[in-house]
Amino acid sequence: MTIDLKPSAETAPPLPLPGPHPAYLVTGHARQSRWLVTCDHASNAVPEPIDPTLGISPQDMARHIAFDIGAKGLAHRLAHRLDAPVIESTFSRLVIDPNRGEDDPTLLMKLYDGTIIPANRHADEAEKQRRLNALHRPYHAAYEALAAQRPDRAICAIHSFTPQLKGRPPRPWQAAVLYSHRDTRLALPLIEGLRAAGILTGDNEPYSGHLDGDSIDRHALQTSRPNVLIEVRNDLIASEDGQIAWADLLAPIIETALRRAGI
């Protein structure tokens, strides 16, 4: 089978949503796999009463700084192939980042890849707590409830990365496996499997996979659940065709990595 892994355009409209805004969406509750697929940065939606633009341009709201382009579509297609439930956030990482601990200084980003975020620039502790209570904490409560449904739960987190940050060298990797030194059980066989399939794979590149208080630390490392975090370069999964191709590619490699790990 030939997999088309060529880049596609990086485009996605901003999605400001009016009215009450749920913090998460769960799909496939009844699926039987031990896997739980997660997508922390699925959306660029900005719930009311926050300024739906966050003070930045529509072009910036459509960039990787607001969400992980293509990650939601890939997560859903991969979860379907794994027969796994999937949980996604429904708010932009620029509103509050669900993949950061509550005490992380980048929880409310004020500057990201050259763009100042005016709506966050003067956000005080009360505003931070309001966003935590409305979005961050409900998302993680639902995440933990899903993770705890099975004693043998394994977590697969799906993210995407931009091909190049402003003023930085291009990133050559097609995909990356990020992990903590505290648990390499799934990451190492997964890297081996991806490279054997001809995928240029980053090993904790373009950045380290360990961050105290992030989603994997909170829901996997602290509870000894098998886990892996996969990043795919976002130009490769911006289109539906790319998401389908990568889900088809990743699913058997992920399953093989879990079997090889023997956990």
Side-chain angles (χ1 to χ4, degrees), residues 14-17 21 43-47 52 61 66-67 90-93 95:
L15 299 171
L17 299 181
H21 191 79
S43 175
N44 59 356
V46 180
M61 283 302 298
F67 71 129
T90 58
F91 52 92
S92 174
R93 67 196 301 169
V95 175

Side-chain angles (χ1 to χ4, degrees), residues 1-7 174 236 239 241-246:
M1 178 178 178
T2 300
I3 303 291
D4 183 6
L5 301 179
K6 293 182 291 187
Q174 295 170 294
L236 301 176
S239 71
D241 287 348
Q243 294 159 17
I244 291 169
W246 275 89

Side-chain angles (χ1 to χ4, degrees), residues 195-206:
R195 289 176 174 172
I199 303 302
L200 185 57
T201 304
D203 180 341
N204 264 341
E205 293 179 294

Side-chain angles (χ1 to χ4, degrees), residues 130-141:
R130 189 173 72 84
R131 297 188 199 182
L132 280 167
N133 288 331
L135 300 168
H136 192 280
R137 287 169 180 155
Y139 173 72
H140 282 287

Side-chain angles (χ1 to χ4, degrees), residues 31-134:
R31 292 175 183 164
Q32 297 301 305
S33 170
R34 65 180 292 194
W35 285 106
L36 169 63
V37 176
T38 70
C39 191
D40 291 334
H41 299 143
S43 175
N44 59 356
V46 180
E48 292 183 342
I50 303 168
D51 176 355
T53 71
L54 295 173
I56 65 178
S57 71
Q59 291 77 19
D60 273 332
M61 283 302 298
R63 292 176 61 217
H64 69 97
I65 65 172
F67 71 129
D68 280 358
I69 293 166
K72 174 180 176 176
L74 174 58
H76 277 268
R77 288 170 172 84
L78 179 62
H80 179 75
R81 285 153 180 77
L82 296 174
D83 192 34
V86 57
I87 183 170
E88 65 190 85
S89 68
T90 58
F91 52 92
S92 174
R93 67 196 301 169
L94 295 181
V95 175
I96 190 166
D97 194 331
N99 196 34
R100 296 293 184 272
E102 292 193 11
D103 60 351
D104 192 296
T106 64
L107 186 66
L108 271 60
M109 289 291 286
K110 297 176 172 60
L111 174 68
Y112 194 0
D113 196 19
T115 297
I116 294 171
I117 317 302
N120 294 345
R121 198 171 184 182
H122 302 295
D124 58 13
E125 181 63 24
E127 176 63 11
K128 172 184 168 182
Q129 290 299 321
R130 189 173 72 84
R131 297 188 199 182
L132 280 167
N133 288 331

